[in-house]
Amino acid sequence: MKFNALLIDDNQMSLKSIRDMLDSTGSIEKIFVANNYFEAIKIIKYELENNVFSINLIFIDFDMSIIDGFEMLKNLQSIDLNDIFVVAISTNIQNKKISLQHGAAEFLHKPFGLDELQKVLDKISEISVY
């Protein structure tokens, strides 16, 4: 399965690193990038309003300032986004349990490598088939 991903992280180095890894997996067709919650919502609303919504995978850094990943995940749940998988990303392993309880499909602990990312994409691909 090919994904159209939205990557949300306020750290430019992390954005570039994760985007490069996503590109190298061959599992991603299109990548949207947002530096914060407001940019992410702008992208999502534009896609929805123009009936071109194609995002089926969202990566959220849970360690962002201003509006963190938990708040973002709660707000995203208020928008009817069926069939979209959320992957929580954090430097704090304690966020794993909480993010999964709040609707994330998977969790990646920073720093992570291409192998861990590919495993997550493979798991989500298997889930999305059903």
Side-chain angles (χ1 to χ4, degrees):
M1 173 177 196
K2 290 272 191 179
F3 294 103
N4 292 318
L6 172 58
L7 175 57
I8 309 161
D9 196 323
D10 60 356
N11 181 302
Q12 293 303 309
M13 288 180 61
S14 289
L15 273 175
K16 181 177 179 354
S17 174
I18 296 168
R19 184 180 186 145
D20 289 347
M21 281 191 283
L22 286 169
D23 281 336
S24 70
T25 65
S27 299
I28 306 296
E29 191 168 310
K30 190 174 189 181
I31 300 175
F32 299 88
V33 176
N35 293 302
N36 56 50
Y37 167 79
F38 302 104
E39 286 182 18
I41 293 301
K42 188 176 178 181
I43 291 167
I44 291 169
K45 283 187 177 182
Y46 176 85
E47 292 271 303
L48 288 171
E49 289 169 0
N50 291 287
N51 293 319
V52 293
F53 194 81
S54 63
I55 298 167
N56 53 6
L57 181 61
I58 301 176
F59 292 87
I60 302 175
D61 175 24
F62 271 55
D63 303 321
M64 291 186 293
S65 56
I66 303 173
I67 296 179
D68 66 17
F70 293 112
E71 190 66 30
M72 178 173 274
L73 188 57
K74 280 194 281 182
N75 289 338
L76 286 175
Q77 290 171 344
S78 69
I79 302 171
D80 188 22
L81 300 175
N82 294 325
D83 302 320
I84 297 177
F85 297 94
V86 174
V87 177
I89 301 172
S90 180
T91 56
N92 183 349
I93 194 67
Q94 301 301 321
N95 287 336
K96 180 177 182 175
K97 182 178 180 182
I98 297 167
S99 63
L100 295 174
Q101 288 173 340
H102 285 86
E106 287 292 333
F107 179 87
L108 284 166
H109 183 233
K110 281 184 180 178
F112 57 89
L114 185 56
D115 288 343
E116 291 105 333
L117 178 60
Q118 189 63 60
K119 285 178 187 174
V120 164
L121 293 173
D122 291 344
K123 282 184 190 176
I124 292 173
S125 288
E126 288 176 19
I127 294 168
S128 66
V129 171
Y130 299 104

